[in-house]
């Protein structure tokens, strides 16, 4: 192997990498928050809504989970403009990430809600708690213990998955690496740097989430 | 610009063969890598365990797309141009190996330790212990999550389109460039993936439920 690595160009492009990484964090952070909101509504609809609504949510989850994210991005980014909705790449990426993330998050939240046995709810109601109290005092604290740990993993998966948004040239980290690569012809170095940043971010977040879990729930729960 | 016709549907279906083939080959490659990683992960030697942990961490902690790029350009770099087809196979196999390795490690460790100790006491050597005592029991717990992972693998093959390999998604892009009917074409593409993945998703959850029942008894 007589290839000489040149990371000088990468150092010169550090601004682009940092900006790309910030955009990746912004996209995944926004998508996570939005999909969590959608997921709570979706999971409630899925578990206690009227039957047509339950089936609709179930169909949505199955369709998203059984098709590739890349194809979903293409449908949104190329499809929506044909019905008059103009999108730039970042908006398209965000919408795709939210729609994709919601499906997975609905399943996480649903698992948390369904894990609480009906007997507990009946017991709480029999003790005279009204529905909101039952939810707040009995269902929620137990559900959170089940929901929060996989949510952390889901965020990291979403962040890594957001690299696929480079296919429509959203300004995130993988696109930044592709730009640097195109300009410097240093493909391997550019992708190694980007991969190292993703790796550092996923380590950072998994450590942070593990700490939060420990602080919030005491002993770490096995998943 | 031309209009979309029946021949285009056939073109998509023919391209789907590559998606199927790519998935099968990557599953075989990933299975091999995964087996080695799982065995290393539960090995006595600390160096082997550490290697396996590092391998799993790196492949689960970076985007698959970048892994594919790195394999693609890494081949050029060491003077072995791999081309789109081989790089995608290699990249997907390594990635699948990390995920399957982690799944199978769990299944191996779920076999009670007493079984392995008993097998050792009976004088079975490593290969016999693994093949005759651990594997048959680990297989039961390994199958449902492995089938579930297969869905992920099939979806992952769509990233080959970005490298330039013409499979289902890439074929959809080509048709969309020619006819500009994104909803119709990518809708069709998504349906073909769905038809491949959904039965596996259902099978995985059925198997999982059956396994959970078996453990309750």
């Amino acid at each position: 192997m007589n290839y000489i690595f040149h990371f000088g160009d990468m150092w010169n492009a550090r601004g682009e990498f940092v900006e790309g990484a910030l955009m990746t964090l912004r996209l995944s952070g926004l998508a996570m928050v939005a999909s969590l909101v959608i997921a709570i509504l979706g999971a409630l609809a899925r578990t206690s809504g009227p039957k047509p609504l339950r089936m609709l949510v179930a169909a949505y989850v199955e369709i998203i989970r059984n098709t590739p994210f890349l194809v979903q991005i293409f449908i949104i980014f190329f499809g929506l403009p044909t019905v008059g909705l103009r999108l730039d790449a970042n908006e398209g990426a965000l919408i795709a990430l939210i729609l994709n993330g919601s499906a997975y998050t609905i399943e996480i939240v649903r698992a948390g809600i369904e894990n609480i046995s009906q007997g507990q709810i009946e017991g709480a109601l029999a003790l005279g708690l009204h529905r909101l109290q039952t939810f707040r005092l009995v269902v929620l604290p137990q559900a959170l213990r089940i929901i929060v740990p996989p949510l952390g993993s889901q965020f990291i998966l979403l962040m890594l998955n957001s690299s696929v948004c480079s296919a429509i040239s959203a300004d995130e980290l993988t696109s930044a690496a592709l730009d640097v690569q195109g300009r410097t012809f240093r493909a391997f170095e550019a992708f190694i740097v980007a991969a190292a940043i993703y790796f550092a971010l996923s380590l950072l977040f998994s450590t942070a989430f593990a700490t939060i879990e420990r602080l919030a729930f005491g002993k770490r729960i096995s998943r | 610009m031309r209009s979309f016709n029946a021949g285009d549907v056939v073109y998509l279906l023919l391209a789907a063969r590559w998606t199927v083939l790519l998935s099968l080959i990557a599953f075989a490659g990933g299975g091999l890598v995964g087996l080695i990683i799982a065995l290393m992960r539960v090995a006595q030697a600390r160096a082997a365990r550490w290697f396996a942990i590092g391998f799993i961490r790196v492949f689960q902690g970076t985007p698959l797309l970048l892994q594919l790029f790195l394999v693609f350009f890494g081949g050029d770099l060491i003077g072995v141009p791999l081309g789109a087809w081989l790089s995608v196979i290699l990249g997907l196999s390594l990635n699948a190996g990390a995920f399957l390795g982690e799944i199978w490690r769990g299944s191996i460790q779920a076999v009670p330790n007493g079984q392995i100790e008993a097998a050792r006491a009976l004088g079975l050597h490593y290969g016999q212990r693994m093949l005759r005592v651990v594997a048959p029991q680990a297989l039961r717990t390994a199958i449902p999550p492995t089938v579930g992972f297969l869905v992920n693998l099939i979806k992952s093959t769509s990233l080959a389109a970005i490298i330039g390999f013409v499979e289902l998604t890439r074929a959809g892009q080509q048709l969309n460039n020619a006819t500009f009917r994104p909803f119709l074409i990518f809708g069709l593409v998504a349906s073909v993936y769905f038809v491949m993945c959904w039965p596996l998703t259902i099978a995985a959850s059925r198997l999982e439920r059956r396994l959970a029942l078996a453990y309750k008894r």
Side-chain angles (χ1 to χ4, degrees):
Chain A
M1 177 171 147
N2 41 23
Y3 184 87
I4 300 153
F5 284 98
H6 277 287
F7 283 100
D9 289 334
M10 298 307 121
W11 178 248
N12 292 335
R14 61 190 180 279
E16 281 171 71
F17 282 112
V18 170
E19 255 171 54
L22 288 177
M23 189 46 131
T24 287
L25 286 177
R26 199 150 76 214
L27 280 176
S28 21
L30 281 173
M32 189 68 212
V33 172
S35 49
L36 191 55
V37 173
I38 295 175
I40 292 170
L41 298 175
L44 286 175
R46 179 83 170 77
T47 48
S48 40
K51 191 154 192 222
L53 192 62
R54 281 209 306 265
M55 283 169 67
L56 200 70
V57 176
Y60 170 73
V61 169
E62 291 303 313
I63 289 170
I64 295 284
R65 294 206 307 173
N66 288 290
T67 53
F69 181 49
L70 182 60
V71 178
Q72 294 162 11
I73 295 179
F74 285 157
I75 291 181
I76 287 159
F77 186 64
F78 296 119
L80 288 185
T82 62
V83 291
L85 219 84
R86 296 240 149 263
L87 292 171
D88 70 27
N90 290 336
E91 290 162 351
L94 184 62
I95 295 175
L97 283 169
I98 292 173
L99 288 180
N100 182 270
S102 300
Y104 291 89
T105 316
I106 284 174
E107 286 302 282
I108 295 174
V109 176
R110 183 172 75 103
I113 296 175
E114 284 185 346
N115 213 279
I116 286 127
S117 68
Q118 201 56 37
Q120 290 205 26
I121 296 168
E122 281 163 16
L125 292 173
L127 283 170
L129 300 185
H130 53 70
R131 287 209 79 88
L132 197 67
Q133 282 176 320
T134 307
F135 181 72
R136 192 166 59 86
L137 299 170
V138 179
V139 177
L140 198 61
Q142 299 185 74
L144 279 182
R145 278 175 164 258
I146 299 167
I147 294 170
V148 171
L151 276 186
S153 322
Q154 170 59 24
F155 175 74
I156 292 169
L157 281 180
L158 197 150
M159 184 183 74
L160 296 178
N161 221 5
S162 73
S163 75
V164 179
C165 301
S166 62
I168 54 166
S169 315
D171 304 316
E172 44 68 70
L173 183 50
T174 304
S175 290
L178 283 163
D179 286 347
V180 172
Q181 185 254 155
R183 209 181 52 235
T184 62
F185 301 107
R186 292 276 163 199
F188 199 77
E189 286 92 330
F191 295 130
I192 275 283
V193 169
I197 297 174
Y198 279 109
F199 188 59
L201 288 174
S202 49
L203 272 187
L204 181 78
F205 281 108
S206 63
T207 315
F209 291 136
T211 312
I212 292 171
E213 277 162 42
R214 217 173 22 247
L215 290 177
F217 306 122
K219 211 166 131 264
R220 194 165 176 198
I221 305 136
S222 58
R223 10 194 112 163
Chain B
M1 197 99 100
R2 59 176 183 80
S3 62
F4 186 83
N5 57 49
D8 294 335
V9 179
V10 176
Y11 182 69
L12 279 182
L13 290 175
L14 289 177
R17 291 181 310 177
W18 290 105
T19 294
V20 173
L21 192 64
L22 200 54
S23 308
L24 288 175
I25 296 177
F27 185 61
L32 191 67
V33 177
L35 192 63
I36 296 169
I37 291 296
L39 289 176
M40 287 177 87
R41 186 68 184 69
V42 298
Q44 298 277 322
R46 180 178 281 181
R49 282 205 310 270
W50 281 70
F51 176 83
I53 291 173
F55 185 90
I56 293 169
R57 281 260 170 93
V58 167
F59 279 93
Q60 292 194 344
T62 54
L64 171 60
L65 180 58
L66 279 178
Q67 293 163 19
L68 295 179
F69 282 153
L70 282 169
V71 172
F72 187 77
F73 290 103
D76 289 348
L77 190 139
I78 54 168
V80 193
L82 292 169
W85 172 234
L86 269 182
S87 341
V88 169
I89 287 177
L90 190 60
L92 282 175
S93 299
L94 290 172
N95 181 274
F99 281 87
L100 289 173
E102 182 70 357
I103 292 172
W104 293 344
R105 169 194 71 93
S107 318
I108 293 174
Q109 285 178 340
V111 176
N113 215 19
Q115 300 255 353
I116 296 160
E117 281 161 17
R120 193 178 284 146
L122 284 171
L124 298 185
H125 60 70
Y126 177 80
Q128 289 172 320
R129 279 202 309 270
M130 280 297 172
L131 204 64
R132 300 189 172 242
V133 179
V134 177
Q137 301 183 70
L139 214 58
R140 268 161 52 105
T141 48
I143 287 173
T146 303
V147 175
F149 176 75
L150 205 50
V151 175
N152 274 337
L153 187 63
I154 294 173
K155 292 189 293 175
S156 300
T157 60
S158 68
L159 296 190
I162 300 179
I163 308 280
F165 180 77
V166 184
E167 38 61 80
L168 184 51
T169 305
R170 183 80 188 160
Q173 272 180 293
Q174 291 171 335
L175 287 184
N176 184 48
N177 288 341
T179 63
F180 206 65
R181 300 281 300 277
F183 275 129
L184 175 67
I185 291 166
F186 291 118
L188 268 173
V189 168
S191 319
V192 178
Y193 279 109
F194 188 81
V195 166
M196 288 192 252
C197 294
W198 202 44
L200 290 171
T201 302
I202 293 173
S205 62
R206 284 222 180 116
L207 288 166
E208 210 164 298
R209 240 176 320 189
R210 195 187 297 171
L211 190 71
L213 276 178
Y215 268 81
K216 247 185 207 165
R217 261 187 251 133

